[in-house]
Amino acid sequence: AQSVTQPDIHITVSEGASLELRCNYSYGATPYLFWYVQSPGQGLQLLLKYFSGDTLVQGIKGFEAEFKRSQSSFNLRKPSVHWSDAAEYFCAVGPKAAGNKLTFGGGTRVLVKP
Amino acid sequence: EPEVTQTPSHQVTQMGQEVILRCVPISNHLYFYWYRQILGQKVEFLVSFYNNEISEKSEIFDDQFSVERPDGSNFTLKIRSTKLEDSAMYFCASRVQGAEKLFFGSGTQLSVL
């Protein structure tokens, strides 16, 4: 069965510092991979996705993620965080067939210190 | 950017009561979904809906749950007889045909007392 693990429940980072959020997945084949962000009172917003090709994908808001097949990982990074990046971040996987039955990780809550 | 709209944002109900959670997907989207997140747990898939029928449902989506697209704009989730364990944030999502990007609503927080 597929599963997604986000080992860090909370991360606190200083504004301007770099950020890396970890995501590991277990799946029968290479799935579609996603990162979503949820700001307080908002829905889940797609940051970026990986389907195939270049393993380093760029997303919105200055985020990027790298797919590493050998490690079954899809870690999210941002070189310099802004206070507005404080939110909860979810990694998700889904099948390459149509359907969008996404399996989510538990989320990582990011706090940004001034 | 277009939005998926969910109403109400908060719903409080008594155990055993019926609730209907409402969603207005993005107008040209054809695929619709409900997910939920119990406090402290992962976001879980409930059901997907296309062409006026359920495409896939999870084990959670038992006979107490139903979905409907009553008109051209709304997509509803009904829980017939709510239980305490139905308390959760319920997210509606939609997408266009041929695209994998899901657009999520901001959720309805359901509290069953």
Side-chain angles (χ1 to χ4, degrees), chain A residues 3-5 32 34 36 38 41-46 49 51 88 90 95-107, chain B residues 1 3 31 33 35 37 40-45 48 55-58 89 91 95-96 99-107:
Chain A
S3 66
V4 180
T5 302
Y32 288 155
F34 306 84
Y36 283 86
Q38 185 182 24
Q42 304 295 312
L44 295 162
Q45 181 184 23
L46 181 67
K49 59 187 184 289
F51 292 165
E88 187 149 22
F90 294 92
K96 286 202 166 182
N100 276 117
K101 179 184 172 183
L102 297 179
T103 299
F104 283 84
Chain B
E1 190 169 67
E3 290 184 346
Y31 295 80
Y33 305 82
Y35 286 77
Q37 185 181 26
Q41 298 186 23
K42 296 183 178 184
V43 177
E44 304 170 290
F45 168 81
S48 59
S55 312
E56 190 172 2
K57 58 183 180 179
S58 70
M89 178 73 87
F91 293 105
R95 69 176 174 95
V96 296
E100 296 300 329
K101 179 178 179 178
L102 279 183
F103 289 77
F104 283 85
S106 57

Side-chain angles (χ1 to χ4, degrees), chain A residues 39-55:
Chain A
S39 299
Q42 304 295 312
L44 295 162
Q45 181 184 23
L46 181 67
L47 281 176
L48 46 77
K49 59 187 184 289
Y50 173 77
F51 292 165
S52 64
D54 192 347
T55 56

Side-chain angles (χ1 to χ4, degrees), chain A:
Chain A
Q2 56 264 36
S3 66
V4 180
T5 302
Q6 294 180 243
D8 304 303
I9 298 174
H10 292 98
I11 284 182
T12 300
V13 60
S14 297
E15 191 168 14
S18 64
L19 175 68
E20 180 165 12
L21 305 183
R22 295 182 290 164
C23 172
N24 293 96
Y25 67 90
S26 172
Y27 209 80
T30 302
Y32 288 155
L33 295 155
F34 306 84
W35 274 99
Y36 283 86
V37 61
Q38 185 182 24
S39 299
Q42 304 295 312
L44 295 162
Q45 181 184 23
L46 181 67
L47 281 176
L48 46 77
K49 59 187 184 289
Y50 173 77
F51 292 165
S52 64
D54 192 347
T55 56
L56 185 64
V57 292
Q58 302 297 319
I60 63 171
K61 306 186 180 189
F63 284 91
E64 66 178 25
E66 185 172 14
F67 169 61
K68 292 186 177 179
R69 185 190 306 272
S70 61
Q71 298 177 19
S72 295
S73 69
F74 189 56
N75 294 347
L76 180 72
R77 297 194 293 256
K78 185 168 184 178
S80 176
V81 298
H82 186 262
W83 63 267
S84 60
D85 294 323
E88 187 149 22
Y89 293 79
F90 294 92
C91 181
V93 302
K96 286 202 166 182
N100 276 117
K101 179 184 172 183
L102 297 179
T103 299
F104 283 84
T108 299
R109 185 168 296 279
V110 173
L111 302 175
V112 180
K113 294 190 300 185

Side-chain angles (χ1 to χ4, degrees), chain B residues 1-40:
Chain B
E1 190 169 67
E3 290 184 346
V4 174
T5 305
Q6 289 187 243
T7 55
S9 56
H10 293 86
Q11 174 93 43
V12 180
T13 190
Q14 296 289 325
M15 190 170 56
Q17 295 296 304
E18 175 185 284
V19 292
I20 297 176
L21 308 183
R22 303 184 190 278
C23 171
V24 179
I26 296 170
S27 60
N28 62 334
H29 288 193
L30 299 177
Y31 295 80
F32 313 112
Y33 305 82
W34 285 101
Y35 286 77
R36 79 172 185 189
Q37 185 181 26
I38 295 171
L39 186 64

